Amino acid sequence: MPSEKISTSRRTLMQGATAGFVTAVATRAVAQTDVSNSAGTAMASPPQDPRTLYPHPPFPAQEQPWPGLAGRMTPRPDHGETSYRGSGRLNGRRALITGGDSGIGRAAAIAYAREGADVAIVYLPAEEPDAREVIQIIRAAGRKAIALPGDIRDEAFCQALVEQAVSGLGGLDILVSNAGRQQSHDSILDITTEQFDWTLRTNLYAMFWITKAAIPHMPPGSAIIYTSSVNAYDPSFNLLDYAMTKAAIANFSKGLSKQMIKRGIRVNAVAPGPFWTALQVSGGQTTENVEKFGEQVPMGRPGQPAEIAPVYVQLASAQASYVTGQVYGASGGSGQP
Ligand code: NAD
Ligand code: MG
């Protein structure tokens, strides 16, 4: 996609944002600018009060057909497009990220590319507009980008996507299994067998299939990262099927880490709290919950995907060489473990 289209979408981002959001993004961009001392060494960014960053509820009422597009959200989520600055922490790595078109996966994809990794992203064909932006950003960072559209509920596609990622990237060192399905239902009586199966296939079966296909390609020193949730520990009343899959993911991650260390592969999970992503506005929450999204956590606002990307970088990086079988949280002051 021409870079002009990206600038257009950045303009749309700013036009569509509330004044508070623009201020917050600008503040954050300044906050992340490294200051150099006289010896030319990068010094730490000045501290920022996390409560003052980013948009706070109430949010405009909005709903999109599943799976939703980040590009059509108001305000647009911040995935680190203008703020994430790398420092070579993943130089030469080859990463596969499911759900890398939007939200948390997109923030990880942008951060990984800027840290020096080549990145393959998996997404649904309906998400092509979001995915094109990510591909363009990865290439603008000087890294290789592989686009893998398809439906991970299909085992054959899960095997094929791993093969295509491995051949396109020339190997695989990092797997981020992050794609997820979340639909709000007030009662178990409203969850059909079809819906239940859809959630389990996306969140559990696909994770299992993709992991199995990827492991034989991953050399010692590789990292696997899963996306669990605060719902693993404290299930929301309206996310019964989703929450149980997130508990299973945390458990699977810990169990698998015990097997994979025999291959020199570290396995961890991330448990996000409320993050402002397309998942929430495409059936993941009721409209009422979207309007007050994030107000329940001590920080009083949802996280932006850019705020969790550093956790994915840390878990993938060799600096986390002693970290395996862990679940890392980022949830605005709530959540476990
Ligand atoms: P998102 O909608 O931006 O990302 C989810 C992605 O999953 C989609 O972009 C889509 O590409 C992918 N996906 C879903 N079904 C698929 C299918 N059948 N085939 C291929 N791809 C499919 O939302 P997000 O919030 O960034 O979600 C990423 C992960 O974070 C999910 O696992 C979600 O459960 C988890 N999570 C999100 C939150 C939150 O508040 N946003 C909190 C805790 C955990
Ligand atoms: Mg998406």
Side-chain angles (χ1 to χ4, degrees):
M1 180 182 49
S3 55
E4 190 190 307
K5 198 161 172 195
I6 288 291
S7 348
T8 308
S9 62
R10 284 212 181 112
R11 268 200 301 280
T12 313
L13 185 163
M14 288 311 171
Q15 283 160 1
T18 60
F21 179 56
V22 174
T23 312
V25 170
T27 310
R28 185 164 178 82
V30 169
Q32 293 216 342
T33 305
D34 285 338
V35 184
S36 292
N37 65 17
S38 54
T41 316
M43 289 163 58
S45 304
Q48 281 283 307
D49 183 337
R51 297 169 303 176
T52 63
L53 297 170
Y54 294 117
H56 287 59
F59 293 103
Q62 58 200 287
E63 206 174 330
Q64 292 186 38
W66 179 87
L69 291 174
R72 287 185 43 211
M73 291 176 69
T74 307
R76 269 194 74 152
D78 181 0
H79 309 91
E81 287 89 343
T82 60
S83 58
Y84 193 91
R85 301 179 68 200
S87 54
R89 294 180 68 188
L90 301 175
N91 265 346
R93 300 296 170 83
R94 300 150 302 179
L96 168 61
I97 303 176
T98 64
D101 59 297
S102 59
I104 292 167
R106 174 180 179 139
I110 292 170
Y112 281 10
R114 295 203 180 146
E115 293 290 355
D118 294 329
V119 185
I121 59 166
V122 183
Y123 54 93
L124 287 155
E127 298 171 304
E128 195 64 40
D130 276 354
R132 282 292 114 204
E133 293 183 353
V134 179
I135 294 294
Q136 174 68 24
I137 293 168
I138 295 168
R139 291 185 180 150
R143 307 311 310 183
K144 195 184 278 183
I146 313 275
L148 300 169
D151 191 329
I152 60 170
R153 288 176 293 169
D154 175 14
E155 181 172 7
F157 175 64
C158 288
Q159 286 159 356
L161 76 86
V162 171
E163 293 310 318
Q164 286 168 32
V166 169
S167 65
L169 298 171
L172 191 64
D173 313 288
I174 302 166
L175 169 64
V176 178
S177 173
N178 163 79
R181 165 91 175 166
Q182 171 190 320
Q183 293 286 296
S184 172
H185 295 285
D186 281 350
S187 164
I188 183 175
L189 302 180
D190 300 331
I191 304 175
T192 63
T193 298
E194 188 205 0
Q195 284 292 336
F196 188 76
D197 186 57
W198 191 332
T199 305
L200 266 65
R201 275 190 167 259
T202 312
N203 298 3
L204 297 180
Y205 279 74
M207 168 190 74
F208 175 72
W209 292 326
I210 292 168
T211 301
K212 269 184 79 176
I215 287 166
H217 299 285
M218 302 183 82
S222 295
I224 302 177
I225 302 165
Y226 297 104
T227 302
S228 176
S229 167
V230 288
N231 271 283
Y233 309 99
D234 185 11
S236 301
F237 89 97
N238 60 329
L239 298 176
L240 205 59
D241 53 341
Y242 169 83
M244 65 171 248
T245 67
K246 292 292 156 176
I249 291 168
N251 184 284
F252 178 78
S253 171
K254 282 177 176 285
L256 185 68
S257 74
K258 294 174 183 163
Q259 293 184 5
M260 285 304 108
I261 200 57
K262 295 183 169 60
R263 290 174 172 259
I265 300 173
R266 295 180 299 102
V267 184
N268 294 285
V270 181
F275 276 78
W276 185 244
T277 70
L279 186 90
Q280 306 295 354
V281 301
S282 58
Q285 296 293 346
T286 59
T287 310
E288 190 193 1
N289 282 352
V290 167
E291 287 179 59
K292 57 182 187 194
F293 194 63
E295 110 186 333
Q296 76 280 14
V297 302
M299 205 156 319
R301 65 167 177 88
Q304 292 293 324
E307 296 183 279
I308 202 166
V311 179
Y312 287 80
V313 170
Q314 171 69 6
L315 291 174
S317 133
Q319 289 162 328
S321 51
Y322 200 56
V323 180
T324 193
Q326 307 300 311
V327 183
Y328 275 35
S331 42
S334 63
Q336 302 164 34

